[in-house]
């Protein structure tokens, strides 16, 4: 069964800093890897999706990379802002189900 | 913006009551899901559906039931609510089987059973 792990569980950085969130998965047979943002008490908002054949995707200050063979994905956030404070989750899609990590709780300090 | 809606957003209800959490999507997705999430914890899949008249149990044992009579509607029912059912319930939908298959989530229902 696919297992998805996210490290660190929590991260606190000063405003303006660049940061990297990590996601690892045990089975490389995935269709895609999706990154989400979750604000407290809310649902998940999709940020980026990387197909298995792709290496990276970019949206604004966000850049996600995928190394399927090593079972890893990273989310890079440039010039962090207090509004980026949230929990970030990754999900590996196997063609049938989505497998979610436990998330990284990010706090950006003004 | 995702077109998937959950109602109610918040619900406080007494033990033993029957409740139905509503989920609707306007994207025509065949596959729909219900997840349970406690604060700061991971998502647990409790039910999913491949399409009309299809319902399957997920990884987490749940005392809830679901139905899928229409493509756009996937309600979750608790016949007799208990305090242990207190949690956030998230509904999601997707197409399925494609490299670009993306999950779309509703805003969630925060359920408190007293």
């Amino acid at each position: 069964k696919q297992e998805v792990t996210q490290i660190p569980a929590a991260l606190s950085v000063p405003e303006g800093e660049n940061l990297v969130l990590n996601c690892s998965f045990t089975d490389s047979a995935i269709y895609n890897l999706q990154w989400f943002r979750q604000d407290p008490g809310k649902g998940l908002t999709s940020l980026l999706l990387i197909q298995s054949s792709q290496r990276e995707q970019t949206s604004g200050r966000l850049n996600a990379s995928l190394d399927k063979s090593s079972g890893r994905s990273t989310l890079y956030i440039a010039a962090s802002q207090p509004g980026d404070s949230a929990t970030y989750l990754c999900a590996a899609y196997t063609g049938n189900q989505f497998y979610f990590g436990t998330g990284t709780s990010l706090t950006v300090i003004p | 913006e995702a077109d998937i809606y959950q109602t109610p957003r918040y619900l406080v209800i007494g033990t033993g009551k029957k409740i139905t959490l509503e989920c609707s999507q306007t994207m025509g997705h065949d596959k729909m899901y219900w997840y349970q999430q406690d604060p700061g914890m991971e998502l647990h899949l409790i039910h999913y559906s491949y399409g009309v008249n299809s319902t399957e149990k997920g990884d987490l044992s749940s005392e809830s039931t679901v139905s899928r009579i229409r493509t756009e509607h996937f309600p979750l029912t608790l016949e007799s609510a208990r305090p242990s059912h207190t949690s956030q319930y998230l509904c999601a939908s997707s197409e399925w089987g494609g490299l670009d298959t993306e999950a779309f989530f509703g805003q969630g229902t925060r359920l408190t059973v007293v």
Side-chain angles (χ1 to χ4, degrees):
Chain A
K1 180 189 169 183
Q2 180 74 267
E3 291 185 5
V4 180
T5 305
Q6 291 187 247
I7 295 173
L11 182 64
S12 184
V13 300
E15 182 178 0
E17 191 162 297
N18 303 325
L19 58 102
V20 175
L21 307 180
N22 297 293
C23 171
S24 61
F25 46 95
T26 55
D27 187 345
S28 62
I30 63 170
Y31 278 43
N32 64 51
L33 194 291
Q34 195 171 355
W35 282 92
F36 296 88
R37 168 186 174 135
Q38 185 176 33
D39 292 294
K42 299 287 184 65
L44 279 65
T45 300
S46 181
L47 297 173
L48 288 164
L49 181 147
I50 314 175
Q51 295 181 19
S52 60
S53 58
Q54 298 173 329
R55 297 286 292 182
E56 65 177 56
Q57 284 288 331
T58 298
S59 176
R61 295 183 293 108
L62 305 180
N63 176 277
S65 67
L66 176 64
D67 184 343
K68 204 174 77 158
S69 61
S70 66
R72 290 186 297 186
S73 177
T74 61
L75 179 67
Y76 175 83
I77 302 177
S80 58
Q81 302 171 356
D84 295 331
S85 298
T87 296
Y88 292 80
L89 294 95
C90 64
Y93 179 62
T94 62
N96 187 39
Q97 294 293 352
F98 296 91
Y99 292 89
F100 290 86
T102 51
T104 294
S105 177
L106 172 66
T107 301
V108 180
I109 304 166
Chain B
E1 188 171 325
D3 295 313
I4 181 165
Y5 307 99
Q6 290 186 242
T7 57
R9 288 277 288 118
Y10 304 93
L11 180 62
V12 180
I13 200 163
T15 298
K17 298 291 187 183
K18 178 180 178 179
I19 57 171
T20 296
L21 308 184
E22 302 287 348
C23 177
S24 295
Q25 51 98 3
T26 59
M27 296 171 282
H29 288 162
D30 284 325
K31 203 151 181 197
M32 296 188 74
Y33 316 77
W34 276 103
Y35 294 89
Q36 185 174 341
Q37 184 186 34
D38 292 320
M41 303 296 285
E42 63 190 295
L43 278 74
H44 292 284
L45 180 66
I46 51 176
H47 296 283
Y48 60 100
S49 166
Y50 287 105
V52 171
N53 295 325
S54 157
T55 60
E56 305 285 344
K57 289 186 180 295
D59 301 325
L60 181 67
S61 175
S62 174
E63 294 164 344
S64 58
T65 59
V66 292
S67 63
R68 190 88 182 275
I69 299 172
R70 303 197 314 266
T71 298
E72 63 271 22
H73 195 213
F74 191 41
L76 181 144
T77 298
L78 280 167
E79 291 291 334
S80 180
R82 295 210 298 265
S84 60
H85 296 138
T86 295
S87 188
Q88 169 145 286
Y89 293 83
L90 295 170
C91 180
S93 73
S94 73
E95 297 174 336
W96 61 291
L99 292 178
D100 60 350
T101 293
E102 185 175 354
F104 295 90
F105 280 81
Q107 285 295 296
T109 293
R110 180 72 196 168
L111 173 65
T112 302
V113 183
V114 297

